Amino acid sequence: MGIDSRENLETAIRLCGDARKIFSKTSVDYALALMNESNARKILAEMDIDNRENLETAISLCGDARKIFSKTSVDYAYALGKEANARQRLAEIGINSRENFETAVSLYGNSRQILFKANVPYALTLMNEGNARQRLAEMGINSRENFETAVSLCDNAKKILSKKSADYAFVLINEGNARQRLAEMGINSRENLETAVTLYGDARDILSKKSADYALALVNESNARQTLAKTGIDSRKNLETAVTLCSNARQILSKTSVDYARALVNEGNTRQTLAEMGIDSEENLKTAVSLYSNARQILSKKSADYAGMLINEGNARRTLAEMGINIKENLETAIILYNDAKDILSKKSEFYARALINEGNARQTLAEMGIDSRKNLETAIRLCVNA
């Protein structure tokens, strides 16, 4: 409800502490007080209040509660799930990420052995384990196995949840995300992408059309459609639909949020691809540059997303220059953008190499125009050698 949230949660924690002083330390009531305090601390962490301290304390409380509950009880299963949730959140903020995600997967699996297999808590445990496995896969850990297991877990959860519930919609989105990543790995690409598009569409039919979750389903579907287009499947239709989806998402998302910035970038990327196909090239490239510029005001200037967006804007400006539009200005700005991207990216990454090559191309074009020809050519050669 949002009424005095921090004060009420901190009071709840204090009350749980007082209750624990009364109950026997081996009683179920004592264990339930531990769980209630853990829940309150996790919510405080989600509010960005003492994240690490609250999550680590929540984990410790769940561990203590598990020592008391019967290992075949539903309460024990819930304690496993709550600890897994807290570990997942710790991992998401960069604290012992691999260890915490892997432990979360194990805890969810143990919880599933206890819970009744046709109820909502079981389905949510399936979904949460799927999420943790996707994050491990994104870290390069057993990627195919984890993504495929995530798809299977989501599919099983769908059989349990009400098809009109928000949780069902979230499972659809999570499965769509896992399928999209499998497609990017070259695994049943067309089938996985087309299924992902359907899943996102079904999720949107459930979610409130003003919610951030609805907007993210729009953005995720736009990504899948972009990838389909790049494989030559209904390219123009998928790209134009992707542009519309990103535009609609932007009408919903907070204009200062990272998700809004990503919608800007995705639309910019899509418009750039349309331009490469010769569709309204000047208009799409100019709009892409504007979208990237707006995204730069929001994204963290040290993030990989920011660096990637700088490269994309540089590419759009270089293409505009090749079309004879503000040639010098666009090339010189592109060089600045590539340089800024290089300052962020790992010098061993593919994207760093691309930034070097793209900057070299821009400098070569400037040299051919007679602008600092020797300097630009020598720099271009050095950049290509380093790439």
Side-chain angles (χ1 to χ4, degrees), residues 106-362:
S106 176
L107 291 166
Y108 288 132
N110 292 339
S111 180
R112 287 196 284 120
Q113 304 307 311
I114 301 165
L115 293 169
F116 177 59
K117 289 178 174 50
N119 65 6
V120 171
Y122 182 82
L124 295 180
T125 302
L126 292 170
M127 181 172 72
N128 289 338
E129 182 182 337
N131 291 343
R133 285 184 177 277
Q134 283 194 62
R135 295 303 297 269
L136 282 168
E138 288 162 3
M139 292 167 64
I141 300 163
N142 300 328
S143 295
R144 178 170 184 167
E145 178 187 343
N146 275 316
F147 280 131
E148 289 180 336
T149 303
V151 167
S152 176
L153 292 165
C154 289
D155 192 51
N156 290 336
K158 284 191 293 172
K159 296 170 185 173
I160 301 167
L161 295 166
S162 162
K163 289 179 172 52
K164 295 182 179 179
S165 69
D167 286 328
Y168 185 82
F170 296 147
V171 168
L172 294 173
I173 291 170
N174 290 343
E175 181 182 340
N177 295 345
R179 286 185 176 275
Q180 199 169 168
R181 294 306 300 274
L182 283 168
E184 290 167 3
M185 293 168 64
I187 300 164
N188 300 329
S189 296
R190 180 169 185 166
E191 178 189 343
N192 275 316
L193 288 168
E194 290 179 339
T195 302
V197 166
T198 300
L199 291 165
Y200 295 135
D202 291 345
R204 290 195 282 121
D205 290 339
I206 300 165
L207 296 167
S208 163
K209 289 178 172 51
K210 295 182 180 179
S211 69
D213 292 315
Y214 181 86
L216 293 178
L218 292 169
V219 174
N220 290 347
E221 182 180 338
S222 83
N223 289 339
R225 287 185 177 276
Q226 281 184 65
T227 309
L228 274 172
K230 288 175 183 175
T231 63
I233 300 166
D234 295 331
S235 296
R236 179 167 185 167
K237 177 185 175 184
N238 275 314
L239 289 169
E240 289 178 340
T241 302
V243 167
T244 301
L245 292 167
C246 288
S247 179
N248 291 343
R250 290 195 285 118
Q251 306 308 309
I252 302 165
L253 296 166
S254 162
K255 289 179 172 50
T256 58
S257 69
V258 170
D259 289 325
Y260 181 83
R262 287 175 178 157
L264 291 168
V265 172
N266 285 348
E267 183 178 339
N269 294 346
T270 309
R271 287 184 176 276
Q272 200 166 171
T273 306
L274 280 168
E276 290 165 4
M277 294 169 59
I279 300 166
D280 299 327
S281 297
E282 181 175 346
E283 179 188 342
N284 275 315
L285 287 167
K286 285 181 174 178
T287 303
V289 165
S290 175
L291 293 164
Y292 294 137
S293 179
N294 291 338
R296 281 196 276 138
Q297 309 308 310
I298 302 167
L299 291 171
S300 163
K301 290 178 173 49
K302 295 181 179 179
S303 69
D305 284 337
Y306 185 81
M309 183 268 306
L310 292 173
I311 292 172
N312 289 345
E313 182 181 340
N315 293 345
R317 287 184 175 277
R318 198 156 55 84
T319 306
L320 281 169
E322 289 168 1
M323 294 167 60
I325 300 163
N326 298 331
I327 301 174
K328 181 177 177 180
E329 178 189 342
N330 276 316
L331 289 171
E332 289 178 341
T333 303
I335 287 168
I336 292 168
L337 293 165
Y338 294 137
N339 264 306
D340 290 344
K342 287 189 296 169
D343 290 340
I344 301 165
L345 296 165
S346 162
K347 289 180 171 55
K348 295 181 180 179
S349 72
E350 178 184 339
F351 291 108
Y352 183 86
R354 286 180 188 172
L356 292 171
I357 290 168
N358 292 346
E359 182 185 340
N361 291 339

Side-chain angles (χ1 to χ4, degrees), residues 52 56 90-91 94-101:
R52 181 170 185 167
E56 289 178 340
L90 267 179
I95 298 166
N96 299 328
S97 295
R98 178 171 183 166
E99 178 187 343
N100 276 314
F101 279 131

